[in-house]
Amino acid sequence: MNFAQTPLHRTLQSLTLGRGSRLLGAGLCVALLSACTLSPDYHRPELSTPAQYKQAEGWSQAKPSDAIARGAWWEVYGDAGLNALVEELNRSNQTVAQSEAQYRQAQALVRSSRAALFPSLDLSASKNRSAQGTGSSSSSLSNNSSGIRNTYNTQLGVSWEIDLWGKLRETLNANEASAEASFADLASIRLSQQSELVQNYLQLRVIDEQKRLLEATVATYERSLRMTENQYRAGVSGPDAVAQARTQLKSTQADLIDLIWQRAQFENAIAVLLGKAPANFALADSKSIPALPDIPVTLPSQLLERRPDIASAERNVMAANANIGVSRAAYFPDLSLSLSGGYSSSSFSNWIELPNRYWSVGPSLAMTLFDAGKRSAEVDRTVAVYDQTVAQYRQTVLDGFKEVENYLVQLKVYGDEAVVRQEALDAARESLRLTENQYRAGLIGYLDVVNVQTTALSNERSVLNLLQGRLVASVQLIAALGGGWDAEQAFAE
């Protein structure tokens, strides 16, 4: 392109006097065409990333085809009812709706800062009615009507702030990074709400199983109480056996009643997560508990891309880095170009006519010469904000590593405990079978049976409580690994 023939160069030449002024105008144009940025080059903050998790031995590594990578991570539990609830949560959860509205605000701010890079066009039209006195009261009164003047104006104006030092572009970069952080925050909140719903649902299903266990146990204890009462009336057993049987029955009935409010709490929590009043929501009992899934574990380095909170923290670092450039640009002058033209007349009938036209064009250069250290303080502030976001990013990564390690070891320990608990339960069931046979044969008293029944029921409930803990820990591990979210894929869309 022939720079000497550009309209901007010709405009500057026509508005400046002297050879030196023309050179200044050309210099400004060159600066326009080679505008720079003043923010530091961005680099992801350095991290000490372990090669693998300490507790990852024995776990399968994540594969591109695994269920979690496809996004709908809750489907690994194979429960159609759960899948439907999560889909409803994605549509109706009010916490997610708040975060989604915040993301739309961030998007609007990006569009606003992008628009600042372009010229603005304004149109105005006005009518003014004015009068001026002649200097004395009498003459002013006598000539008042002749001193009135009407003025009609219309004007079209164009203004453009030239981004010489990259202030506007760095503002745009900062807002874009903040919008991406807001998007990651939205994903993080959605994942958190999904995780909470899945945990509540799985715990509720375990309570349903405990309810079935206690109902069956109550029915067994009721039969035992009737049999013991019959034996007492027949003189075979004493009143102590009846009292023990009744105590055992009432204690188990109380435990069954206690499950009602526990289940109601989980059901109400699910209702709120779905954006519904608890009175308008009910979840029917289920006769099955979702199975524990196999959870593939990503490498620690991949966690940086799979956790939305880590991605959000890094985008905040990027925004803070761009804001340093914005604050540094305040040391340099602002250049703006303006062009306006229109018509002005005292008569409406000949308002828009060639003799009534006017126009103006010219550049404007402005800068602050002294501000008592205000700009320097702002630069120091943005640098400190950058250092703060770097520390927050590193802490978020460390917290992510810690959560994954915690849930890995928790699931490992729970798995080992489950083996021993199941062995204890099998032994308790066998002991109960043998004891009941001895009781029916008349070899032992009923009090011996009660003790073994209590031990067996305690082991049954312990196994269910442990299963509940394992299911909850599995959900927490999936969430700690980022669920089905991926930063590179999400920000590429």
Side-chain angles (χ1 to χ4, degrees):
M1 182 181 67
N2 185 354
F3 174 74
Q5 300 303 317
T6 59
L8 179 58
H9 182 265
R10 291 196 299 269
T11 301
L12 288 171
Q13 282 187 326
S14 65
L15 295 173
T16 55
L17 297 175
R19 185 168 178 268
S21 298
R22 289 196 297 271
L23 291 176
L24 175 61
L28 290 174
C29 291
V30 172
L32 169 62
L33 297 176
S34 59
C36 60
T37 59
L38 300 174
S39 63
D41 292 336
Y42 175 76
H43 300 284
R44 175 181 283 181
E46 294 183 0
L47 295 168
S48 177
T49 305
Q52 64 179 13
Y53 297 108
K54 181 171 61 175
Q55 303 294 335
E57 184 178 353
W59 289 82
S60 61
Q61 296 298 325
K63 299 178 182 179
S65 59
D66 66 65
I68 296 177
R70 291 197 296 269
W73 58 268
W74 52 89
E75 293 181 356
V76 299
Y77 294 95
D79 190 298
L82 174 61
N83 297 343
L85 289 174
V86 177
E87 293 299 332
E88 186 174 355
L89 176 144
N90 292 336
R91 297 189 301 267
S92 307
N93 182 270
Q94 295 305 298
T95 303
V96 173
Q98 294 176 45
S99 184
E100 191 271 337
Q102 291 175 339
Y103 173 54
R104 286 190 282 111
Q105 294 174 41
Q107 286 181 307
L109 190 58
V110 170
R111 295 196 302 271
S112 175
S113 57
R114 184 178 291 116
L117 295 172
F118 300 92
S120 62
L121 182 65
D122 302 302
L123 175 65
S124 64
S126 65
K127 174 189 176 181
N128 296 318
R129 186 174 177 86
S130 61
Q132 183 176 357
T134 59
S136 63
S137 299
S138 59
S139 61
S140 176
L141 291 174
S142 62
N143 297 324
N144 182 49
S145 59
S146 62
I148 296 177
R149 175 181 174 83
N150 293 324
T151 303
Y152 299 89
N153 287 289
T154 182
Q155 177 176 301
L156 181 66
V158 180
S159 61
W160 185 21
E161 182 178 353
I162 309 302
D163 194 20
L164 285 177
W165 317 111
K167 178 180 69 175
L168 299 180
R169 281 173 295 154
E170 290 300 344
T171 300
L172 173 60
N173 292 338
N175 290 334
E176 286 179 335
S178 296
E180 290 183 349
S182 179
F183 176 76
D185 288 339
L186 170 60
S188 182
I189 289 175
R190 182 181 289 114
L191 175 60
S192 174
Q193 298 295 295
Q194 292 169 347
S195 172
E196 186 176 347
L197 184 144
V198 175
Q199 291 179 56
N200 289 334
Y201 180 86
L202 294 176
Q203 291 180 89
L204 183 145
R205 289 312 180 205
V206 173
I207 288 179
D208 286 345
E209 183 63 29
Q210 289 190 349
K211 181 181 176 183
R212 288 190 293 272
L213 170 64
L214 290 182
E215 286 173 344
T217 303
V218 165
T220 299
Y221 289 172
E222 286 175 341
R223 290 193 299 270
S224 297
L225 177 60
R226 287 194 299 269
M227 182 179 64
T228 306
E229 289 174 337
N230 292 336
Q231 290 177 339
Y232 172 69
R233 283 190 290 268
V236 177
S237 61
D240 56 340
V242 175
Q244 186 65 38
R246 183 175 290 108
T247 300
Q248 185 183 50
L249 172 62
K250 295 303 179 181
S251 296
T252 308
Q253 287 177 333
D255 290 341
L256 180 59
I257 294 172
D258 186 65
L259 289 181
I260 296 175
W261 79 266
Q262 292 185 39
R263 189 185 193 279
Q265 281 189 317
F266 288 118
E267 189 176 65
N268 294 341
I270 292 174
V272 173
L273 288 169
L274 299 180
K276 297 180 179 180
N280 299 330
F281 177 77
L283 198 59
D285 291 352
S286 173
K287 296 183 178 180
S288 63
I289 302 176
L292 275 169
D294 293 327
I295 304 173
V297 177
T298 61
L299 295 174
S301 59
Q302 295 172 331
L303 190 69
L304 306 183
E305 305 299 335
R306 290 190 63 93
R307 278 185 61 126
D309 59 336
I310 293 178
S312 174
E314 186 187 357
R315 265 55 189 185
N316 287 332
V317 175
M318 297 169 66
N321 186 77
N323 282 329
I324 293 176
V326 175
S327 63
R328 287 176 176 174
Y331 282 107
F332 300 93
D334 294 330
L335 174 64
S336 60
L337 299 178
S338 61
L339 170 66
S340 62
Y343 294 88
S344 179
S345 175
S346 60
S347 172
F348 181 79
S349 60
N350 62 353
W351 178 12
I352 311 297
E353 290 187 359
L354 198 59
N356 297 326
R357 75 185 187 281
Y358 67 91
W359 62 270
S360 66
V361 61
S364 174
L365 196 65
M367 68 177 298
T368 302
L369 297 178
F370 177 75
D371 60 5
K374 178 179 179 181
R375 287 169 294 179
S376 176
E378 179 63 15
V379 171
D380 292 342
R381 186 192 70 82
T382 54
V383 171
V385 170
Y386 172 81
D387 293 338
Q388 177 187 359
T389 57
V390 169
Q392 290 174 340
Y393 169 72
R394 289 173 175 160
Q395 186 61 48
T396 302
V397 173
L398 291 175
D399 290 340
F401 289 154
K402 180 192 70 174
E403 289 180 7
V404 174
E405 294 282 8
N406 285 346
Y407 297 134
L408 282 174
V409 69
Q410 185 177 4
L411 282 172
K412 276 189 173 183
V413 171
Y414 278 173
D416 295 340
E417 183 182 351
V419 174
V420 179
R421 289 285 184 188
Q422 187 60 47
E423 292 174 350
L425 176 58
D426 293 340
R429 287 172 175 172
E430 178 64 13
S431 176
L432 178 59
R433 184 185 67 81
L434 295 174
T435 302
E436 288 176 340
N437 289 339
Q438 289 177 325
Y439 174 70
R440 282 191 290 269
L443 301 177
I444 58 176
Y446 185 70
L447 292 180
D448 296 323
V449 177
V450 168
N451 291 332
V452 177
Q453 285 177 333
T454 301
T455 301
L457 178 60
S458 176
N459 279 276
E460 293 277 5
R461 299 195 69 181
S462 294
V463 168
L464 285 175
N465 288 333
L466 181 59
L467 176 59
Q468 184 180 64
R470 295 178 73 189
L471 288 168
V472 169
S474 70
V475 177
Q476 292 171 333
L477 175 59
I478 293 175
L481 292 169
W485 193 83
D486 187 273
E488 292 183 346
Q489 295 179 4
F491 293 138
E493 293 177 355

